[in-house]
Every structure is written in C-alpha cells, then in structure tokens.
Amino acid sequence: MQVVFHTGSHGTDDDRLIKCLLSNKEPFSQRGVAVPGPAQYRALFKKVLTALDEAEPEPQAREVLIEAILDGEVADRVIFSDANFFGSHWSALGKGMFYPRAATRMANLQAIFAYDQVEMFMSIRNPASFVPDVLGALPEKGAAEVMEGMDLHKLHWTGMVESIRAAAPNVQLTLWCNEDTPLIWAQIIRDLAGLEHGNKIVGGFSLLSEIMSKEGMQRFRAYLAEHPELSEMQKRRVIAAFLDKYALEDAVEEELDLPGWTHELVDQLTELYDEDVFSLQRIPGVQFIAP
C-alpha cells in the first residue's frame, strides 16, 4: 500500500487541503485511493506517536491502524492529513530548528508501515510569517520560552528535511512553498492522490476563489472555457496574471505584529528563505512542486 502523510506545516492550509480531498472521496475511491475523515485517525495517530516516543511499535500496529481507520475499505493508496503529526504549535520551534520531533516521528511512521511505500507531503513557509504565526498560538510566557536563545537567521527548513532524510531514508518527500499554493493547488491534490496531470478533480480552484474577487473568478473561468487547450504551466501563468489584478488584499496580505519584528528583519529572513528553498530543491530524494 502507498501510505501518504500530509504533515502541515502549521498555518499553511487550515484544513482546506483535507476538505478538498474529501470532496473527491468517491471518485478517488474508485481509483483505489482512500481519503478517511480526520476524526477517524488524528486522535489515534496522536496516541500511537506519543507511545512510540518511548517504545518500539508493536508488530501488529500497522494492521490495527489500517483496520480501524479504513473499516473494511479496500485501497492501494491512503492519505492522512494533520499539521500536528510532528507535534502541536509548541513543538514547531525548538533546538534551533523547525519541528525538532519531525525526524523521529517520520522514522516511527516508517517503522509502522515498514512494508508499505510511505510518502510525506509538506508545505513550508517563510519564517518571517511562520514564526509569528506559531508564537501567536502560544501564551506569552510560552512564546518567550520558545524564542529563548533562538537565532532567527539560522532557522531553515533544510535542517529539518535533512534530518528526516537521514532518519527515514525510504520515505519519499514532496515539498512546496505555501506562498505558491494558489498557483499549484490542483497539482498538490493530484500528487497527493497519485493522479496524472490533467485528471479532473473537484475543487481545483477552491483556494483561488477564497483570495480572488468574484468578478475575477468569473473572468478567470470564462478565460479557461475559451482556452481549453492550456497546459498546466500556462494555467499557472494565467492564475498569476488574474491574481495580480483581482486578488483580495485582505486575503493575501499578512499582518506581522511582534516586538522587534522590523521590515529589515522580514527582508533578511525572506532572503534567507529564498536561499533555503534553492537548497531544498537540490536535496536527493526530495520532490519540489514549484509554479
């Protein structure tokens, strides 16, 4: 079986992705792709992963999990989505890196599904907005504890990804930048489901409709109807052009309100993030979805 884990990161899709997958549940099921509802597995995986922090998985753990979650459904591929697979907001920053538990957690998941093909999908995010979002979810004292001794200029996603590759080398990793998600949404859904490019899905533009004006969406859909021959890459350029003209400012602009969070710091972190993304694309075994 192909076992797919979408692991966040926090504040990137707010469960829009799993909702889109669930809206395709029936057609995906016909292709052998199972999309269980989050209530069927999130609490269960949390309990299992917490237990595995202390002990090795039981030999029957895989069968117990699959039977409990799929409840008799036959599938070749199953997709799980939870931004908390690597821990809550409390665990998103620590030891000078993003998600310090990620490597251990992914290795444990690989151990449970040792005879399956395990894949990990994750959206990364500019630290200039990710860090404030994480800290904003914590009490003031907790945020201060997390940031104590933290060098923001040394925070990069490459460290987390390389630690996962070392701990779980057989897991296929697929990454993308959260900032690019509106342009590549349909491909993310297809890749999660293991579908070929061009396969029809429900909600391929559902995220776009949240950040573009109603007039813009109407004009965009009319343009696609008039140009059915467009390739995926051409569609992305069209999306970018329509967003440039019709994006809803409140939906695409982020307000960063943290003490000491200056424009200069944001620019520095953004520049480092761009370099980080370039490095990630060069790591063997990592697939990067780019516009």
Side-chain angles (χ1 to χ4, degrees), residues 61-124:
R62 187 257 190 209
E63 282 67 29
V64 171
L65 280 168
I66 291 297
E67 184 177 338
I69 295 167
L70 294 186
D71 193 26
E73 181 180 358
V74 178
D76 300 314
R77 185 178 182 89
V78 58
I79 308 171
F80 303 114
S81 176
D82 189 356
N84 294 316
F85 272 128
F86 297 153
S88 66
H89 283 87
W90 282 98
S91 305
L93 296 168
K95 299 181 181 179
M97 66 186 298
F98 295 120
Y99 296 101
R101 292 183 181 176
T104 300
R105 288 281 174 97
M106 204 66 242
N108 286 338
L109 289 170
Q110 179 182 274
I112 293 173
F113 298 97
Y115 301 103
D116 298 297
Q117 178 183 323
V118 179
E119 301 178 29
M120 185 195 106
F121 283 70
M122 190 172 192
S123 173
I124 62 170

Side-chain angles (χ1 to χ4, degrees), residues 39 48 60-61 66 101 146 149 167 178 181-182 190 219 223 247 263 272:
V48 169
Q60 70 275 21
I66 291 297
R101 292 183 181 176
V146 167
N178 181 57
T181 301
R190 291 191 187 99
R219 289 178 178 270
Y223 186 90
H263 288 294
L272 290 171

Side-chain angles (χ1 to χ4, degrees), residues 62-226:
R62 187 257 190 209
E63 282 67 29
V64 171
L65 280 168
I66 291 297
E67 184 177 338
I69 295 167
L70 294 186
D71 193 26
E73 181 180 358
V74 178
D76 300 314
R77 185 178 182 89
V78 58
I79 308 171
F80 303 114
S81 176
D82 189 356
N84 294 316
F85 272 128
F86 297 153
S88 66
H89 283 87
W90 282 98
S91 305
L93 296 168
K95 299 181 181 179
M97 66 186 298
F98 295 120
Y99 296 101
R101 292 183 181 176
T104 300
R105 288 281 174 97
M106 204 66 242
N108 286 338
L109 289 170
Q110 179 182 274
I112 293 173
F113 298 97
Y115 301 103
D116 298 297
Q117 178 183 323
V118 179
E119 301 178 29
M120 185 195 106
F121 283 70
M122 190 172 192
S123 173
I124 62 170
R125 186 176 170 187
N126 187 342
S129 62
F130 179 71
V131 173
D133 186 73
V134 168
L135 298 181
L138 304 178
E140 187 175 338
K141 184 179 178 181
E145 290 175 358
V146 167
M147 290 305 294
E148 187 176 356
M150 183 81 71
D151 186 346
L152 291 170
H153 295 85
K154 293 183 179 179
L155 268 179
H156 50 75
W157 294 99
T158 304
M160 182 203 74
V161 172
E162 288 179 339
S163 69
I164 292 173
R165 290 288 299 143
N170 295 327
V171 174
Q172 178 181 314
L173 307 186
T174 299
L175 307 173
W176 64 94
C177 293
N178 181 57
E179 297 78 15
D180 296 331
T181 301
L183 304 178
I184 56 176
W185 181 253
Q187 183 180 342
I188 293 168
I189 300 299
R190 291 191 187 99
D191 285 0
L192 276 161
L195 304 181
E196 296 294 328
H197 288 193
N199 281 338
K200 294 290 183 182
I201 59 170
V202 176
F205 301 119
S206 58
L207 179 59
L208 196 60
S209 65
E210 294 185 22
I211 62 174
M212 190 185 292
S213 69
K214 186 175 180 181
E215 178 190 0
M217 282 303 299
Q218 289 173 341
R219 289 178 178 270
F220 170 68
R221 292 186 183 280
Y223 186 90
L224 290 187
E226 292 168 6

Side-chain angles (χ1 to χ4, degrees), residues 11-85:
T12 52
D13 77 295
D14 298 322
D15 275 348
R16 292 182 183 89
L17 194 147
I18 187 60
K19 289 173 183 175
C20 186
L21 290 169
L22 286 169
S23 68
N24 288 275
K25 184 177 178 66
E26 186 174 337
F28 283 2
S29 180
Q30 293 171 1
R31 294 173 176 267
V33 180
V35 186
Q40 295 172 254
Y41 59 82
R42 285 186 175 175
L44 188 57
F45 270 114
K46 180 180 180 180
K47 183 178 179 181
V48 169
L49 288 170
T50 300
L52 290 180
D53 287 338
E54 307 294 335
E56 295 292 319
E58 295 291 334
Q60 70 275 21
R62 187 257 190 209
E63 282 67 29
V64 171
L65 280 168
I66 291 297
E67 184 177 338
I69 295 167
L70 294 186
D71 193 26
E73 181 180 358
V74 178
D76 300 314
R77 185 178 182 89
V78 58
I79 308 171
F80 303 114
S81 176
D82 189 356
N84 294 316
F85 272 128

